[in-house]
Amino acid sequence: MPHEVIMPALGMAQDTGLIVAWHKSPGDAVAADDVLFEVETDKATMEVAAGADGFVTQIRAHAGSEVPVGDVIALIGDSSEAVHTEEGPADATAPAATAVELPKGNNVIMPALGMAQDTGLIVAWHKAPGDSVAAGDILFEVETDKSTVEVEAGFDGFVAALLAEAGEEAPVGETIAVITATKPDKPVQASRASAPKVVPGPAAEISARAAETPAPKPAKAATPASKAAAPVAGTGRILASPKARRLALEQGLDLNRLAETGHPQPYHVADLETLKSLPTKGLETTGAATRRLTAELPSESFGGFAAWAAEAAGLKDAGALLAGLAAASLGREATVALERFGVARVFSVPVGPLGNIAAASLETAPDLIVRDLRASRISSVTLGAEDAPTLTLKQAGDGLAITLECASHQMTAAEAVALLSNFAGRMEQPLRHLL
């Protein structure tokens, strides 16, 4: 009988857990003390061991899914031959399957990059049908309401089928590509409207993994048709690689000007040269200067403060508390976006008690961004200015390092110093700053 892996209870008041990442895939051998997955609650992120020796025979919840405590999320069996996975959600409105026969292989699904994400927009493919691919190669770029992420292939082999075109949206969990171990005789290129039904392969799930890479390579697939479809009419969205967006911000370039001239999307770093060559008449830049300040704390008390607030005041959302301390450091009412493991939440923080903090729509433009990297292994941060001043938290020994990055037009030097000083003080001694 297979061993059932359940969502553990990591706290007294925990009802659910957010799966941050899987460390094993279906078919992998696993020992009882191997780390199987990472789970995040309001108070901590924990690595969870498998609990039994054997082989991972099923994974029932994707990375990014929030699962009730006690639910079975994986199975561990005695034989790798028993591997099976659940099919991704079917699109009830999709047209009937075509007669095209797909090769059997590993299915690449549209990943879940955020808690409230239902679909993802494919910005560009970096591989074409028939291309060889390694597990760590960037296969495609996907855009959600909050970010654009480069997604790795997840498997070694050959691209046997692409089942959606650049510029198309696909539901989370839907198969959008197939990777086979051997080079396909007849690789398939299709859009979602004509994509054939996919038979699940032996490992049908991958996690989205954003990578800091050199300039993305242009897709080798049928780019003329893909680029024509990429600008989604009526949405006002600009499709661009993460590096192109970052460089444009740092250099004070407006990607909207490329769209206004009809330059085909998605945009990559090479397109910035075209943007620079446009006439400067009417060009407004945001200013390339970036302010970067860092504060280091020998110790921090936020974890203890969050536990106290949950028990004494019933404030169990540690993310909301963190947003509250950040907004208080500005000294005014503010909208704060909290980013953790690629999952974004937005809070409306009024002046006053922390209990009045409320969740806000992901569409709301934040006044301040808090990027929580305390559970990561990142040791230094220099990402450049974002659309709003950004506070990045990372572990530094037994203490905490906080980095503030902002554009010069967003804050004066004095305002930046005051914000970082106030926030560092609140993270070091939260209770003192409530008095």
Side-chain angles (χ1 to χ4, degrees), residues 214-226:
K217 299 177 181 178
K220 297 178 184 177
T223 53
S226 298

Side-chain angles (χ1 to χ4, degrees), residues 292-324:
R292 182 179 184 275
L293 299 82
T294 299
E296 294 189 358
L297 311 181
S299 62
E300 57 93 9
S301 303
F302 179 76
F305 168 70
W308 170 83
E311 182 176 352
L315 303 177
K316 299 180 181 180
D317 190 339
L321 294 177
L322 188 60

Side-chain angles (χ1 to χ4, degrees), residues 354-409:
L354 295 176
N356 293 336
I357 298 172
S361 168
L362 290 176
E363 303 291 339
T364 307
D367 301 304
L368 185 64
I369 300 170
V370 177
R371 183 178 291 118
D372 189 356
L373 300 180
R374 288 177 293 172
S376 77
R377 296 189 179 185
I378 294 175
S379 58
S380 64
V381 175
T382 306
L383 297 176
E386 302 280 357
D387 293 336
T390 302
L391 290 162
T392 301
L393 284 64
K394 61 183 182 63
Q395 208 68 36
D398 295 329
L400 189 68
I402 307 172
T403 299
L404 169 62
E405 293 179 287
C406 64
S408 58
H409 72 278

Side-chain angles (χ1 to χ4, degrees), residues 88-182:
D91 183 354
T93 63
T98 69
V100 178
E101 182 179 355
L102 288 182
K104 293 182 180 180
N106 297 303
N107 299 336
V108 180
I109 64 172
M110 174 60 70
L113 305 177
M115 294 294 292
Q117 178 196 349
D118 297 319
T119 62
L121 175 69
I122 297 173
V123 176
W125 288 102
H126 288 230
K127 297 290 181 179
D131 284 356
S132 62
V133 64
D137 287 348
I138 301 300
L139 180 62
F140 65 101
E141 295 173 42
V142 59
E143 182 185 73
T144 67
D145 291 336
K146 298 299 293 180
S147 63
T148 300
V149 177
E150 295 175 330
V151 182
E152 297 176 2
F155 307 100
D156 296 330
F158 296 85
V159 178
L162 297 181
L163 306 178
E165 295 181 349
E168 289 188 320
E169 284 191 308
V172 168
E174 180 173 287
T175 297
I176 56 175
V178 179
I179 295 176
T180 55
T182 58

Side-chain angles (χ1 to χ4, degrees), residues 248 251-255 257 275 279-287:
Q251 297 173 24
L253 301 173
D254 185 1
L255 292 174
R257 299 195 70 231
L275 177 55
T280 57
K281 183 179 179 179
L283 176 63
E284 297 180 1
T285 64
T286 58

Side-chain angles (χ1 to χ4, degrees), residues 11 22 24 41 59 74 78 95 197 221 243 283 290 304 306 351 368 398:
W22 286 99
K24 299 289 183 179
T41 67
I59 290 179
D78 296 329
K197 182 176 175 61
K243 187 170 184 178
L283 176 63
T290 299
V351 176
L368 185 64
D398 295 329

Side-chain angles (χ1 to χ4, degrees), residues 322-336 349 368 423:
L322 188 60
L325 294 183
S329 302
L330 282 173
R332 59 180 175 83
E333 179 179 344
T335 300
V336 179
V349 185
L368 185 64
F423 186 62

